[in-house]
Amino acid sequence: MSSQITCVGWVKRGVAKETPDKVELSQEELQRIITEAKQELGEQAAADEEEDDEGIAADANDVTPDVAEAPEDENEEGKEEEDELAEYGLDKYDEEDTVTANLGDSLAGLTVFSSNEEDPYITLKNTDQYEREDFQIKPNDNLILAGRAEKDCCNLEIYVYNSEEDSMYVHHDILLPAYPLCIEWLNFDPNPGEGSTNYAAVGNMTPQIDVWDLDVVDCLEPAFSLGSKKASKKKKKSKKGAAAAEPVEGHTDAVLDLSWNKLVRNVLASGSADDSVILWDLSQGKPATTLRRHTDKVQTLAFHPFEAQTLISGSYDKTVVLYDCRSPDDSYRTWRFSGQVERVVWNHFSPYNFLTSTEDGFVYCLDARSDKPVFTLRAHDQEVSGLDLSSQIKGCLVTSSADKHVKIWDILGNKPNLVHSRDMKMGVLFCASCSPDQPFIYAFGGQKDGLRVWDISDVAAVAEVFGSRERLVVNAGSQAPTEAAEMEVS
């Protein structure tokens, strides 16, 4: 199975540390990590053995003693094999030859230089300088975060992307404990007194959310975690008749989406396959509120870019719910759609409007004050898995789908028109995200061929429609997350 990019996210320019730190573990810390990993693997293996034992016990009575008799033909086959080994000398195949050539004779024609400087065939005498330059992150570099899933391992890959130099490479990666499903960048540190940080929260197939420090290379543990991995196991055991598990702080199933509140920086929202939305207080590392307005998996959610209290969530139950987080039990509104909700995103150019995509290929634009959609668009033939507006160009919408296509739409004036469509040759597409600094640069993840970054302005039709359109001016000189000029990129 080729590697898949299941989720992507961006980090703004100037946020990452110029020279990331490298982890240097003491012997005690390394031993502690190894011990904890062994305990976790042991618990998992024990749980798997319990399930396997039940299946084996059920099948044990069906075994019949048909293997008691051994035919005489087996002895004859064994003799034939021995004769073949003797004939071709295969029984001595691994033995060394008695006459061995002198090692020096085979190297006689090779010239050895004492250093690279003396060797005329090596033109690049010292690579240390180039390695240091690649390791450093420039002020005009963006970071792209990509969740990569392969057959035997999962990673969070941190790419350095520079549009001016047209360069992109993996700076470092982080080994993840489970299949990644969503990524959200944040810069809140729960430790008091700490300054601005560069963190990525990752949701995966476990109930636990891991928050990783992107300015640390070779880290083996997250900076901190929210919830517990064991929540789902406790839930399963209670169903088998064991003693009911104690209430768990956090989710009890996979975390499907995350949204960080850029205005109230200690709040992170998570949607889960356990049908709930949790608002986490990052300063305490605990849930502040649990919202249960959906009856199926919560696939997507997003905080409003300008109103800290406003949150929307979409679910497999074919509904989108709008919450006022100051009193979520009393102040909420629900819309119902034709299919399961895949993505939701706020229109930062029209703060009352948000966009929703569904599994049956539709994109809806809704006004939070009205029950009827502003417009309905049949965008794709299959589920619309990626949905993102340009960070600076008004009316520029990009969608990606399981039908393997990316489409660029002009939705200015609430009259959507298709500008361009392209088969990305990446198989099923899982995600799409626009750069916060460059309005035409999008990152895509799919079933094959890894991460893809595309400057959509290279398409003549896109340049013609959007090239002269007014842009939202982002104050690049400030990195304050509470600025209204900063847009949400999901």
Side-chain angles (χ1 to χ4, degrees):
M1 182 184 73
S2 61
S3 61
Q4 302 177 347
I5 299 297
T6 58
C7 46
V8 295
W10 290 81
V11 179
K12 291 189 66 176
R13 291 172 175 173
V15 171
K17 186 180 291 187
E18 181 181 0
T19 305
D21 301 323
K22 285 190 176 182
V23 171
E24 294 182 3
L25 293 176
S26 65
Q27 195 64 31
E28 292 77 12
E29 290 174 325
L30 186 60
Q31 187 60 43
R32 176 183 61 81
I33 292 172
I34 293 173
T35 303
E36 290 176 355
K38 286 182 177 179
Q39 290 176 349
E40 187 174 335
L41 290 172
E43 291 174 359
Q44 184 177 354
D48 293 341
E49 284 179 5
E50 288 180 6
E51 295 178 1
D52 293 342
D53 289 344
E54 293 178 1
I56 293 172
D59 296 337
N61 297 327
D62 298 335
V63 178
T64 55
D66 293 338
V67 295
E69 298 180 1
E72 296 180 359
D73 294 343
E74 290 184 1
N75 295 332
E76 295 178 359
E77 291 177 0
K79 290 179 181 180
E80 291 178 0
E81 290 179 2
E82 291 177 2
D83 293 341
E84 290 179 359
L85 289 173
E87 181 180 355
Y88 296 104
L90 297 177
D91 54 339
K92 298 180 180 180
Y93 181 80
D94 294 327
E95 295 181 9
E96 295 184 0
D97 295 337
T98 55
V99 180
T100 305
N102 189 352
L103 181 61
D105 295 340
S106 63
L107 300 177
L110 298 179
T111 303
V112 180
F113 294 94
S114 60
S115 66
N116 287 346
E117 284 74 12
E118 298 177 10
D119 193 334
Y121 295 101
I122 296 181
T123 57
L124 193 62
K125 304 299 183 181
N126 189 352
T127 60
D128 293 344
Q129 177 184 353
Y130 298 95
E131 290 176 0
R132 284 195 299 269
E133 289 178 358
D134 286 344
F135 189 72
Q136 289 182 341
I137 298 174
K138 302 173 185 176
N140 60 342
D141 284 339
N142 284 105
L143 298 187
I144 305 177
L145 315 177
R148 180 182 292 273
E150 299 189 41
K151 185 176 181 181
D152 297 323
C153 71
C154 298
N155 295 301
L156 173 62
E157 293 183 333
I158 295 89
Y159 289 79
V160 172
Y161 175 75
N162 190 300
S163 60
E164 297 170 7
E165 300 175 0
D166 194 23
S167 66
M168 186 176 76
Y169 59 91
V170 178
H171 185 274
H172 64 282
D173 62 355
I174 298 169
L175 186 65
L176 296 178
Y179 190 94
L181 299 172
C182 53
I183 301 173
E184 181 76 348
W185 179 82
L186 53 94
N187 73 344
F188 178 81
D189 195 317
N191 298 319
E194 293 290 337
S196 181
T197 57
N198 184 22
Y199 286 166
V202 180
N204 55 52
M205 293 296 289
T206 73
Q208 181 171 291
I209 302 166
D210 292 326
V211 182
W212 299 89
D213 190 340
L214 301 177
D215 289 335
V216 176
V217 177
D218 298 333
C219 56
L220 299 178
E221 294 181 303
F224 60 94
S225 297
L226 304 171
S228 171
K229 289 182 182 178
K230 300 178 181 179
S232 59
K233 293 182 182 178
K234 291 181 179 179
K235 186 178 178 182
K236 289 179 182 177
K237 289 182 180 179
S238 64
K239 285 183 178 179
K240 292 181 180 179
E246 296 180 2
V248 176
E249 287 192 342
H251 291 295
T252 57
D253 209 334
V255 177
L256 305 182
D257 200 17
L258 297 165
S259 180
W260 176 54
N261 194 320
K262 295 176 176 61
L263 305 176
V264 183
R265 296 172 54 246
N266 65 314
V267 176
L268 177 72
S270 60
S272 171
D274 64 9
D275 309 347
S276 72
V277 173
I278 291 181
L279 303 182
W280 297 88
D281 182 353
L282 297 178
S283 59
Q284 301 293 326
K286 296 180 179 180
T289 306
T290 301
L291 310 176
R292 301 187 183 277
R293 291 295 166 189
H294 290 291
T295 58
D296 207 338
K297 302 177 182 66
V298 181
Q299 170 96 325
T300 177
L301 44 74
F303 272 112
H304 196 284
F306 310 122
E307 297 177 4
Q309 75 278 6
T310 305
L311 174 74
I312 49 174
S313 63
S315 168
Y316 278 34
D317 64 10
K318 302 181 181 181
T319 66
V320 165
V321 178
L322 171 69
Y323 309 89
D324 183 337
C325 294
R326 294 169 297 188
S327 55
D329 293 332
D330 302 321
S331 301
Y332 64 93
R333 187 171 198 157
T334 303
W335 291 264
R336 183 166 293 277
F337 301 93
S338 57
Q340 297 175 359
V341 178
E342 294 289 330
R343 304 298 303 165
V344 292
V345 61
W346 286 100
N347 186 344
H348 41 261
F349 301 103
S350 181
Y352 289 112
N353 290 359
F354 64 90
L355 296 159
T356 298
S357 66
T358 59
E359 63 165 344
D360 52 358
F362 283 91
V363 171
Y364 299 87
C365 178
L366 295 111
D367 188 317
R369 302 163 295 182
S370 173
D371 293 329
K372 295 182 179 180
V374 177
F375 68 76
T376 300
L377 170 65
R378 179 62 188 266
H380 291 270
D381 296 328
Q382 298 184 43
E383 64 188 59
V384 183
S385 53
L387 179 76
D388 209 7
L389 289 158
S390 170
S391 56
Q392 300 174 28
I393 303 297
K394 188 174 183 180
C396 180
L397 172 68
V398 173
T399 59
S400 64
S401 170
D403 66 11
K404 307 177 183 180
H405 284 76
V406 167
K407 293 185 179 181
I408 303 163
W409 305 87
D410 181 9
I411 62 170
L412 193 64
N414 296 320
K415 296 178 180 179
N417 293 309
L418 179 63
V419 177
H420 183 71
S421 177
R422 175 175 293 185
D423 184 347
M424 299 296 286
K425 308 296 183 183
M426 297 170 64
V428 174
L429 293 167
F430 298 133
C431 48
S433 183
C434 181
S435 166
D437 299 299
Q438 299 131 311
F440 294 117
I441 306 292
Y442 279 78
F444 301 93
Q447 193 175 17
K448 59 184 181 180
D449 290 347
L451 177 70
R452 184 79 58 84
V453 175
W454 181 22
D455 183 351
I456 62 173
S457 65
D458 291 340
V459 179
V462 174
E464 182 180 352
V465 173
F466 300 110
S468 59
R469 189 166 294 182
E470 183 181 2
R471 299 189 182 190
L472 172 73
V473 179
V474 179
N475 185 0
S478 173
Q479 297 172 14
T482 55
E483 279 196 6
E486 286 199 18
M487 298 297 99
E488 181 172 354
V489 178
S490 57

